[in-house]
Amino acid sequence: MLHLSSSPGLFELILFLSSVAAGTFGALLGLGGGVIIVPVLTLGLGINIRYAIGASIVSVIATSSGAAATYVKDHLTNIRVAMLLEVATTVGALSGAVLSTYIPEKQLFLVFSCILLYSAWIMLRKRNHDDITPLVDSDYWAKRFKLNSSYPDHAIGKEISYAVTHVPLGFSLMMGAGVISGLLGIGSGALKVPAMDSAMRLPIKVSSATSNFMIGVTAAASAGAYYMRGDILPLVAAPVALGVLLGSWFGTKLMMKLHSHRIRSLFIGVLTIIALQMGLKALGIQVR
Amino acid sequence: MEQPQTIISTKPQQLLRTELLISYVLRIGVFICSFVIAFGVIITWITPSALNQFSGSVLPSLMSGQSVDAIEIPRSVAQFKLALIALQPNAIIALGLLLLIALPIIRVGLTVFIFLFERDYVYLFITLFVFSVLISGIILGKTI
């Protein structure tokens, strides 16, 4: 670990490779990649948490834009659901950023951790119907806002139609997700996917692709502030950005090939890991 | 294992075309950002002073968990102009990163126009609202 500080090339390479992994998982699961990036930077390379969060924000935006380019073209993303819910997430994120001066972080990490564990539990219970999504009755709001749609599932070779339901609930959840990620600066994807999947009954691939589309917007809203504060260091953020962009491309290819239930299982696993990371932070076990 | 087949979509034509346009713009944006950032990294490597500063003073502090406020990043248009003309690698990378950050915002702006052309006024309003919240966030952010 100590020789690294005199080999910038190796430093950049490690950052790049970790970011490729982060981008791959992020794009596949609708997350931003912070779950890999933050520990690698803080625990692995000893970097101060502020730069890790700055890098994480870059990672989220890179995953979002990189994956969205493919998912939108592949007709996986539900743009209307994304835009409608972005009303909630952006307002939430802005409120969260404003409130962040007043609310202590430790409690937040604990709350976040509990929410994630609960979400993982809910998603686990829902496991059995993935490859054939039963046509749920869409609610009034879904029809009014034209949210119902279909997507091509290449793993099973069919176009799957789906209906959207519980829109008001989904909207409120998104508002909460926005506030929490505005307060902490990370983690919106981990809350968005369960909200769409479990509450609104979108197929997992659509939830992931749509979450990818949305997280970039939430992150971009606060990225400007982080840049001005100097938390986004060029020589840290550069390999992260490039690695994540490459990784997200791999992730989109994987999305095509994997069956929905595998993606769901992987997501539940990663969600649990994030919950544990957050729990540790809440208990004050310092990451650095 | 199934081969990727051509799956016939039941979605309306208009929505499909919209999706292709957004995808295309994002793809181009991602390529431009990647080139600019990569160019900045290459310049860092071939500029001895920049490289030495990085490995000599910045990296050791960085890896021991300290703040490295010595790094100068351009914070205004004027600073950017000067730095870019001098081919300062940090500025080039920063430019690429800011472009990356701008991409989701550009995408929302583009979606506003798409809904305008499709005369979908409900979503036009929704997207405009999101866009304005985004812009307020950026303006507020500058004052933090």
Side-chain angles (χ1 to χ4, degrees):
Chain A
M1 222 39 94
L2 293 171
H3 350 286
L4 268 186
S5 61
S6 49
S7 18
L10 197 52
F11 176 80
E12 300 279 296
L13 188 63
I14 292 178
L15 275 182
F16 180 76
L17 291 176
S18 323
S19 305
V20 173
T24 306
F25 280 104
L28 181 60
L29 302 175
L31 306 171
V35 60
I36 295 180
I37 301 249
V38 174
V40 166
L41 259 58
T42 52
L43 291 173
L45 298 171
I47 297 178
N48 191 298
I49 187 94
R50 59 183 279 219
Y51 303 123
I53 294 193
S56 176
I57 297 227
V58 169
S59 166
V60 172
I61 299 179
T63 319
S64 176
S65 304
T70 304
Y71 289 150
V72 169
K73 179 162 102 31
D74 286 349
H75 311 299
L76 239 52
T77 312
N78 190 321
I79 296 181
R80 290 203 162 93
V81 168
M83 292 314 311
L84 181 62
L85 295 179
E86 271 175 26
V87 172
T89 59
T90 47
V91 171
L94 212 55
S95 322
V98 168
L99 286 173
S100 68
T101 17
Y102 307 113
I103 300 189
E105 263 194 352
K106 289 243 174 79
Q107 272 85 317
L108 227 44
F109 283 123
L110 193 58
V111 170
F112 193 27
S113 177
C114 295
I115 295 177
L116 290 180
L117 284 175
Y118 178 68
S119 307
W121 166 241
I122 299 267
M123 286 184 76
L124 198 58
R125 283 177 50 203
K126 207 207 147 198
R127 263 152 101 231
N128 301 317
H129 335 117
D130 272 317
D131 278 347
I132 308 160
T133 310
L135 216 55
V136 183
D137 246 349
S138 71
D139 72 2
Y140 165 76
W141 297 105
K143 294 198 184 97
R144 180 90 176 69
F145 284 104
K146 295 179 283 189
L147 300 177
N148 303 326
S149 188
S150 62
Y151 78 101
D153 193 332
H154 288 277
I156 57 182
K158 284 196 290 189
E159 173 102 2
I160 312 247
S161 294
Y162 59 89
V164 182
T165 184
H166 294 139
V167 176
L169 175 62
F171 196 85
S172 320
L173 290 174
M174 286 301 171
M175 181 85 75
V179 173
I180 293 182
S181 56
L183 284 164
L184 293 176
I186 45 172
S188 53
L191 296 167
K192 291 182 163 82
V193 175
M196 283 188 273
D197 169 79
S198 306
M200 297 173 71
R201 305 287 195 211
L202 288 152
I204 187 79
K205 289 191 179 188
V206 175
S207 304
S208 170
T210 308
S211 169
N212 256 308
F213 196 67
M214 293 171 70
I215 56 181
V217 174
T218 325
S222 47
Y226 281 96
Y227 176 84
M228 286 301 187
R229 281 212 291 257
D231 290 347
I232 300 182
L233 287 184
L235 283 165
V236 171
V240 168
L242 294 175
V244 168
L245 285 174
L246 181 61
S248 66
W249 184 73
F250 290 145
T252 60
K253 293 299 168 204
L254 271 181
M255 170 76 96
M256 266 234 211
K257 300 214 170 103
L258 288 182
H259 282 257
S260 294
H261 63 90
R262 285 212 199 289
I263 296 178
R264 169 185 298 279
S265 305
L266 198 52
F267 186 84
I268 293 173
V270 173
L271 205 57
T272 312
I273 292 176
I274 302 178
L276 292 174
Q277 280 180 354
M278 294 292 140
L280 287 178
K281 277 195 168 143
L283 295 176
I285 296 174
Q286 287 306 312
V287 153
R288 236 291 168 158
Chain B
M1 279 278 105
E2 287 93 355
Q3 305 293 323
Q5 315 161 357
T6 314
I7 298 176
I8 312 291
S9 173
T10 52
K11 272 192 188 160
Q13 260 312 98
Q14 224 177 21
L15 191 57
L16 292 173
R17 273 203 316 260
T18 300
E19 292 169 339
L20 285 176
L21 177 62
I22 292 181
S23 161
Y24 193 58
V25 169
L26 279 173
R27 214 171 269 270
I28 294 180
V30 160
F31 274 124
I32 294 178
C33 290
S34 307
F35 282 134
V36 174
I37 295 176
F39 182 63
V41 174
I42 292 171
I43 298 273
T44 307
W45 246 256
I46 62 180
T47 312
S49 57
L51 194 55
N52 287 335
Q53 190 206 26
F54 183 55
S55 57
S57 55
V58 176
L59 206 45
S61 312
L62 195 59
M63 290 185 66
S64 58
Q66 294 166 36
S67 287
V68 281
D69 294 309
I71 296 211
E72 287 153 17
I73 45 170
R75 283 185 170 85
S76 70
V77 178
Q79 285 175 358
F80 257 109
K81 274 194 199 151
L82 285 173
L84 289 173
I85 291 175
L87 276 189
Q88 261 179 39
N90 274 345
I92 299 174
I93 296 176
L95 180 66
L97 289 172
L98 287 178
L99 245 82
L100 184 63
I101 292 175
L103 271 184
I105 305 170
I106 292 174
R107 189 244 299 157
V108 175
L110 179 64
T111 313
V112 170
F113 282 108
I114 292 177
F115 284 129
L116 180 61
F117 286 137
E118 287 185 8
R119 297 174 205 273
D120 189 336
Y121 297 119
V122 173
Y123 274 92
L124 173 62
F125 181 71
I126 288 175
T127 316
L128 263 176
F129 181 82
V130 172
F131 191 70
S132 37
V133 174
L134 267 181
I135 300 292
S136 340
I138 291 173
I139 295 176
L140 277 177
K142 285 219 174 123
T143 64
I144 289 175

